[in-house]
Amino acid sequence: MSIQRTLSIIKPDATTRNLTGSINARFEQAGLKIVAQKRLQLAKAQAEKFYEVHKDKAFYNSLCEYMSSAPVVVQVLSGEDAIAKNRQIMGATNPANAEIGTIRRDFAQDIERNSVHGSDSEENAALEIAFFFSQLEIVE
Ligand code: CDP
Ligand code: MG
């Protein structure tokens, strides 16, 4: 266990239903601190770059269309074991499989419109944070 930073995204299904504050309350209540944050709308090409690891998957084009369809809130969460803790608070990718009390169980609409993104490893967290933020924009 150590202090980590992870990239969190509040996805279009959640921003358009005005759930940003409700979702971020979950992170803060669990002891994660929002140390950088901005609201923006991705161009489809930017979504494609961000999700490049999934480019061969059947869901890739639909995912990138969806992620660029409305604003997102991108943010950096900091705290003890932040990468795994964030994923635990988020719940499973498919909300039908997500544990009770997780963000995806409570807010997601389906496996694509599942309200939040979270980095899955230290390596990806560093890459994903750098995709959206400069060091100057991250303040502990
Ligand atoms: O977001 P997470 O790391 O839990 O899942 P992923 O396997 O990295 O997939 C990235 C995103 O693609 C998911 O969060 C969903 O929005 C979407 N997806 C989908 O639309 N259909 C699938 N069968 C799997 C993922
Ligand atoms: Mg993932």
Side-chain angles (χ1 to χ4, degrees):
M1 297 256 284
S2 60
I3 299 293
Q4 294 176 327
R5 287 174 174 173
T6 190
L7 186 82
S8 164
I9 304 179
I10 302 179
K11 294 185 177 183
D13 71 271
T15 63
T16 55
R17 288 179 294 146
N18 224 16
L19 292 170
T20 298
S22 301
I23 288 172
N24 279 335
R26 307 268 181 118
F27 296 133
E28 293 187 335
Q29 276 156 15
L32 293 174
K33 185 174 166 189
I34 301 166
V35 296
Q37 185 180 58
K38 54 195 171 192
R39 181 178 175 98
L40 53 87
Q41 184 158 356
L42 290 167
K44 189 174 178 201
Q46 292 172 311
E48 286 169 349
K49 186 103 181 63
F50 183 78
Y51 279 114
E52 201 162 21
V53 59
H54 293 306
K55 66 177 187 308
D56 297 325
K57 308 264 175 63
F59 61 79
Y60 179 65
N61 187 59
S62 176
L63 172 65
C64 295
E65 283 280 355
Y66 158 63
M67 287 299 289
S68 57
S69 67
V72 294
V73 174
V74 296
Q75 52 198 13
V76 179
L77 305 179
S78 172
E80 192 72 36
D81 218 11
I83 296 167
K85 187 181 276 189
N86 178 39
R87 301 236 3 145
Q88 196 178 352
I89 299 163
M90 288 164 57
T93 307
N94 186 344
N97 302 329
E99 280 183 45
I100 289 170
T102 61
I103 290 169
R104 284 167 163 172
R105 175 68 172 252
D106 291 346
F107 298 121
Q109 298 183 301
D110 56 46
I111 193 171
E112 178 180 82
R113 307 171 88 81
N114 60 1
S115 303
V116 280
H117 166 85
S119 307
D120 64 5
S121 65
E122 287 200 48
E123 188 190 356
N124 285 335
L127 290 169
E128 291 178 1
I129 289 169
F131 187 92
F132 288 109
F133 295 98
S134 75
Q135 285 307 314
L136 272 176
E137 296 175 302
I138 306 171
V139 185
E140 286 283 345

